[in-house]
Amino acid sequence: MLRSMADSYRHPFFARAYAWLSQRMEPELGPHRHRLLAGLTGRVVEVGAGNGLNFAHYPTSVSHVLALEPEPHLRGLAELAALEASVPVAVVTGEASRLPMADASVDAAVTSLVLCSVPDPVQALAEIHRVLRPGGQLRFFEHVRADTPRLARVQRGLDATVWPRIAGGCHTHRDTISEIESAGFRIDQLESFRLPDIRVALPTSPHVLGTARRG
Ligand SMILES: C[S@@+](CC[C@H](N)C(=O)[O-])C[C@H]1O[C@@H](n2cnc3c(N)ncnc32)[C@H](O)[C@@H]1O
């Protein structure tokens, strides 16, 4: 029997480590999550919802969130988080390269710390483009390729060796903004910043947060 990627995506060690770490980072990440989702309205798809830490930040102008999460441990935690959300959130098994929705059926799509981890970001963004209505928004919060050659070199080295294996498929050297634009989106708002906000830049420090519109 053929199994879809969403059925076979299991990272038990990473999932538990991420659930623990992300809770501890929430005082720093929470305000970014809040800005990421501020002002959204209507039907939203969140791709790779993890343990559901975005759910508490959706404004009540959102009518429904379909949250896809392929990893079973994180999905279970997301289901619990959905019970506490102030907007209706349905958590389902699913993954970015095949969104279970009709064309042009959602008002907004959300990715946070996900486009680094999907195996094929081009396909994921094509799917997001497909399900968004014309003029719909992609809200993104992602860590990205460094713009300093030295850190970018470190990122390339990590991506070619240990990082994707220990971090649930994550890559540090993705040029996510270019990928979003190549998928047919127009960037409306973009902030770049270092996270965590400390003096030394880590390979996952360069972050972007913004809005892109389906062209
Ligand atoms: C670093 S976590 C981020 C989780 C959450 N979005 C957040 O902001 O905390 C990366 C997430 O991407 C999910 N993921 C990895 N590959 C995916 C794929 N192909 N489709 C959808 N989600 C995926 C992982 O299961 C994990 O939940």
Side-chain angles (χ1 to χ4, degrees):
M1 189 177 73
L2 280 178
R3 283 175 15 118
S4 74
M5 185 267 177
D7 293 330
S8 59
Y9 183 91
R10 282 172 196 278
H11 287 277
F13 175 75
F14 166 76
R16 284 160 180 78
Y18 186 74
W20 182 86
L21 187 65
S22 59
Q23 288 287 357
R24 269 138 203 89
M25 290 185 69
E26 201 47 16
E28 186 163 10
L29 262 67
H32 295 298
R33 296 184 188 281
H34 200 78
R35 283 184 305 116
L36 173 71
L37 305 175
L40 281 179
T41 57
R43 297 149 301 162
V44 176
V45 59
E46 181 174 335
V47 180
N51 43 340
L53 289 178
N54 282 331
F55 298 166
H57 298 280
Y58 279 102
T60 52
S61 46
V62 166
S63 56
H64 186 263
V65 179
L66 183 66
L68 307 180
E69 175 49 52
E71 210 293 320
H73 179 73
L74 291 172
R75 190 169 59 249
L77 295 173
E79 284 164 356
L80 294 177
L83 300 176
E84 306 289 320
S86 51
V87 300
V89 180
V91 179
V92 298
T93 309
E95 62 105 15
S97 66
R98 209 181 320 155
L99 300 181
M101 284 145 181
D103 296 0
S105 59
V106 296
D107 299 297
V110 173
T111 69
S112 70
L113 312 173
V114 166
L115 293 173
C116 55
S117 294
V118 299
D120 185 347
V122 173
Q123 172 66 17
L125 286 162
E127 272 294 272
I128 290 171
H129 194 276
R130 179 184 68 76
V131 303
L132 273 175
R133 66 166 170 78
Q137 291 186 348
L138 166 62
R139 298 284 185 98
F140 55 89
F141 170 36
E142 299 287 343
H143 67 80
V144 293
R145 177 182 298 186
D147 54 16
T148 56
R150 193 165 161 203
L151 188 58
R153 214 168 28 248
V154 174
Q155 291 177 322
R156 273 200 306 278
L158 279 176
D159 286 3
T161 53
V162 292
W163 192 252
R165 290 172 204 207
I166 62 170
C170 175
H171 297 75
T172 61
H173 188 257
R174 285 196 172 160
D175 188 0
T176 300
I177 296 301
S178 298
E179 285 165 352
I180 290 172
E181 289 177 322
S182 301
F185 291 94
R186 191 188 70 221
I187 304 283
D188 278 350
Q189 288 176 31
L190 180 63
E191 291 173 43
S192 303
F193 51 93
R194 185 184 282 185
L195 192 71
D197 187 13
I198 53 176
R199 208 170 56 80
V200 181
L202 308 174
T204 55
S205 288
H207 279 69
V208 290
L209 187 152
T211 302
R213 200 170 289 275
R214 184 190 149 156

